[in-house]
Amino acid sequence: MSHKIGIIGGDGIGPEVINEGLKVIEAAGISLDLHNYDLGGSRYIKDGTILPDSILQEWRNLDALYLGAVGTPDVPPGVIERGLLLKMRFELDLYINLRPFVKEATEDSDAHNFTVIRENTEGTYAGEGGFLRKDTSHEVATQGSVNTRLGVERCIRFAFELAAERERKHLTLVHKTNVLTFSGDLWERTFNEVSREFPQIETDYNHVDAACIYMVQDPQRYDVIVTDNLFGDILTDLGGAVSGGIGLACSANLNPEKTAPSMFEPVHGSAPDIVGTGQANPTAAILSGALMLDFLGEREAAKRIEHACAQPSTQTGTTTEIGDAIATLVTT
Ligand code: IPM
Ligand code: MN
């Protein structure tokens, strides 16, 4: 039975890297029933479409969404981000943003392997706030952070469950409880309560500023990290930077209960400056494809793809050369 997948190549290098991802998935012997959606900055410029409700409705019949990148320099910042990406996260209740960071040992650094679980529907991303007296010298702008018991608890529980499946069984809560005394308190209390259901998991807590230092100087300490939406956004860019660069960073936006399709995308953006040059590394998109297969139950194919991406021999050449090298390795 083939999986029904919505494809959003998007803008810039998005379509190029998604093509390589689809090539690799096919080579791994997994058959997909593809449904293409022309969305993103270019589509918005063409006819004003961002994400109509009718498309969201169609997506509810799909098994997953696979997205390249969206955003073009000629669309004001925020329009596509909020209108497409955040709308998908909110409407499809993709409340987990899972971002794995794996790096092999090098001459001057040890190997590390940690996964960040970022809450994906609340916090400062919820859009609470507004202006008072806009465009006057007395202007006020507020941007609230929304933290619900339900939202925090389901995210933390997911992180504990993930940690329980992993070898090290270690989970770190990252927040800023010394300053964010209300939301931090809710996160910390909930973390401590849920931890009682998982006595086998060793837990730790880091303030987010300290976590930035540790992630650079001692990333080996981490196994699973759970954190709020904005801290997770920032920390995962740092995670990418210390794990071989953003060209390798993959992500899954998950609805764990599968009441709607989950969405899989590389963390990098549309990189309009290198479109068509063959310089885009498709590995982040390919690894996002592996996360998708894993979530769809195709564990063995996902493992093969991850393994192939980790071989240094696949990591040189143009976009299509890297895609071909990985495809060759995963062919059954
Ligand atoms: C990410 C991106 C998005 C975010 C932007 C594009 C809205 O930076 O997925 O990390 O902030 O979540
Ligand atoms: Mn980000």
Side-chain angles (χ1 to χ4, degrees):
M1 189 197 72
S2 73
H3 306 282
K4 278 198 264 179
I5 310 295
I7 302 294
I8 307 132
D11 303 307
I13 60 170
E16 303 171 18
V17 296
I18 287 298
N19 277 342
E20 300 309 311
L22 292 173
K23 181 199 282 178
V24 168
I25 291 172
E26 196 183 316
I30 304 298
S31 98
L32 301 180
D33 169 14
L34 303 180
H35 301 257
N36 275 293
Y37 290 90
D38 172 19
L39 294 172
S42 315
R43 172 73 190 269
Y44 174 68
I45 295 287
K46 218 183 303 164
D47 67 6
T49 299
I50 304 180
L51 177 54
D53 289 341
S54 55
I55 291 186
L56 265 173
Q57 233 15 62
E58 276 177 47
W59 284 353
R60 292 185 187 278
N61 302 315
L62 300 175
D63 297 313
L65 294 154
Y66 190 31
L67 184 146
V70 291
T72 45
D74 47 1
V75 178
V79 173
I80 303 298
E81 288 89 334
R82 284 203 324 271
L84 183 62
L85 288 177
L86 298 193
K87 189 170 174 184
M88 283 169 90
R89 292 176 185 174
F90 297 152
E91 294 289 327
L92 304 175
D93 206 15
L94 308 178
Y95 66 86
I96 296 296
N97 195 319
L98 178 148
R99 294 183 168 177
F101 298 98
V102 180
K103 187 167 167 286
E104 307 291 327
T106 61
E107 266 179 21
D108 38 34
S109 70
D110 292 336
H112 66 245
N113 181 341
F114 63 89
T115 292
V116 177
I117 298 302
R118 161 186 175 190
E119 201 292 319
N120 211 29
T121 54
E122 300 192 340
T124 45
Y125 280 67
E128 194 218 42
F131 296 108
L132 287 175
R133 301 188 285 272
K134 193 169 184 203
D135 290 325
T136 73
S137 58
H138 295 273
E139 176 161 350
V140 178
T142 61
Q143 190 91 47
S145 174
V146 175
N147 296 264
T148 69
R149 171 71 199 210
L150 179 134
V152 172
E153 185 174 331
R154 65 185 181 174
C155 175
I156 287 175
R157 180 164 283 109
F158 182 93
F160 270 103
E161 282 165 1
L162 177 68
E165 283 169 19
R166 290 166 64 100
E167 211 179 298
R168 280 176 64 194
K169 312 213 179 312
H170 189 277
L171 176 63
T172 308
L173 171 66
V174 170
H175 209 281
K176 185 73 185 173
T177 54
N178 51 347
V179 175
L180 304 183
T181 48
F182 308 126
S183 59
D185 190 86
L186 175 60
W187 274 83
E188 199 168 40
R189 255 185 299 124
T190 308
F191 186 80
N192 292 337
E193 278 175 39
V194 176
S195 85
R196 284 185 218 121
E197 296 167 31
F198 296 87
Q200 75 276 35
I201 307 295
E202 194 189 334
T203 60
D204 195 5
Y205 170 79
N206 293 162
H207 289 319
V208 64
D209 44 356
C212 291
I213 298 181
Y214 294 143
M215 199 169 277
V216 172
Q217 297 189 342
D218 181 27
Q220 293 76 21
R221 72 167 52 218
Y222 293 123
D223 179 20
V224 181
I225 291 175
V226 64
T227 192
D228 90 345
N229 207 339
L230 184 59
F231 294 148
D233 177 47
I234 299 165
L235 266 186
T236 54
D237 268 21
L238 188 58
V242 299
S243 308
I246 207 78
L248 303 180
C250 58
S251 82
N253 295 261
L254 302 177
N255 173 321
E257 286 76 32
K258 306 196 177 180
T259 57
S262 293
M263 190 272 260
F264 301 82
E265 58 167 346
V267 176
H268 63 68
S270 54
D273 49 322
I274 59 166
V275 177
T277 64
Q279 289 177 70
N281 186 342
T283 307
I286 294 169
L287 287 169
S288 302
L291 289 174
M292 176 169 78
L293 293 187
D294 188 75
F295 193 71
L296 294 170
E298 305 284 3
R299 302 249 147 73
E300 188 271 329
K303 280 266 158 301
R304 252 186 295 136
I305 296 173
E306 278 167 32
H307 180 78
C309 291
Q311 304 310 307
S313 62
T314 63
Q315 290 299 311
T316 51
T318 62
T319 309
T320 47
E321 283 166 357
I322 294 175
D324 288 342
I326 295 170
T328 305
L329 283 188
V330 302
T331 303
T332 41

